[in-house]
Amino acid sequence: MARWLVYWTPENVEEFEGQANFRMDCLGSGVENFGSKFSKGDTVWIHSIDSWGHHSILGKLTLAEYVTSREEAEDRIERHLSNVRFTNYWIAEKPWNSIKDVPFSEVPYSLEFESGKKLPPNYSGKHFQSPRRLTEEDNLLILDLWNAWTE
């Protein structure tokens, strides 16, 4: 099973945080290969860089099921996705938690990524436009940070 780092824009995060019933229950996309890029059991770390430059881990999802319509996703997660325009979704395993704010700014400099391409010194959200596959060591580094802040 693979481990991924997936970026949400500050606008997405602000929108989701404004929804009373928002949970980290699915991951959607309009990208053609979205269903085949990930696999059941993959770990996806959601992160964002806000307008002040603070980088945070927002949540961790373990992918459980791929669906090919918004309606099917809504049935699985039991909430509406009316503001979301995607048609393809990976549904996460439960429990579905709210967004967290785990400080992440220094950690990305230590990440190797499966590609071997480290981040530049002044990285930004544009460096995360595509999901990045993590090494096992990268995943453990993020997991240790996550556990320190959420347990």
Side-chain angles (χ1 to χ4, degrees), residues 72-88:
E72 209 174 347
E74 289 174 335
D75 286 345
R76 300 293 194 286
I77 63 174
E78 300 175 345
R79 71 177 175 93
H80 292 289
L81 296 167
S82 57
N83 294 338
V84 183
R85 295 170 296 281
F86 302 132
T87 54
N88 302 308

Side-chain angles (χ1 to χ4, degrees), residues 31-144:
V31 176
E32 191 172 308
N33 69 341
F34 184 66
S36 60
K37 183 174 202 75
F38 302 104
S39 299
K40 181 178 179 177
D42 283 2
T43 298
V44 176
W45 294 99
I46 306 295
H47 68 114
S48 188
I49 302 170
D50 67 20
S51 57
W52 298 281
H54 299 109
H55 196 170
S56 299
I57 290 287
L58 307 174
K60 176 187 175 195
L61 290 79
T62 301
L63 304 181
E65 179 185 8
Y66 180 68
V67 297
T68 57
S69 76
R70 185 172 71 199
E71 294 75 20
E72 209 174 347
E74 289 174 335
D75 286 345
R76 300 293 194 286
I77 63 174
E78 300 175 345
R79 71 177 175 93
H80 292 289
L81 296 167
S82 57
N83 294 338
V84 183
R85 295 170 296 281
F86 302 132
T87 54
N88 302 308
Y89 294 86
W90 273 98
I91 309 299
E93 290 180 359
K94 290 182 179 181
W96 298 328
N97 298 309
S98 59
I99 291 178
K100 308 290 186 207
D101 186 10
V102 175
F104 190 56
S105 294
E106 297 304 315
V107 174
Y109 293 114
S110 301
L111 301 177
E112 297 286 335
F113 302 107
E114 288 263 327
S115 67
K117 295 181 182 175
K118 295 187 97 165
L119 292 168
N122 293 315
Y123 72 87
S124 68
K126 72 178 182 175
H127 294 98
F128 296 104
Q129 289 182 355
S130 294
R132 287 186 172 242
R133 192 167 178 165
L134 300 167
T135 65
E136 179 60 28
E137 293 78 18
D138 293 341
N139 185 64
L140 291 174
L141 188 63
I142 297 170
L143 182 61
D144 286 346

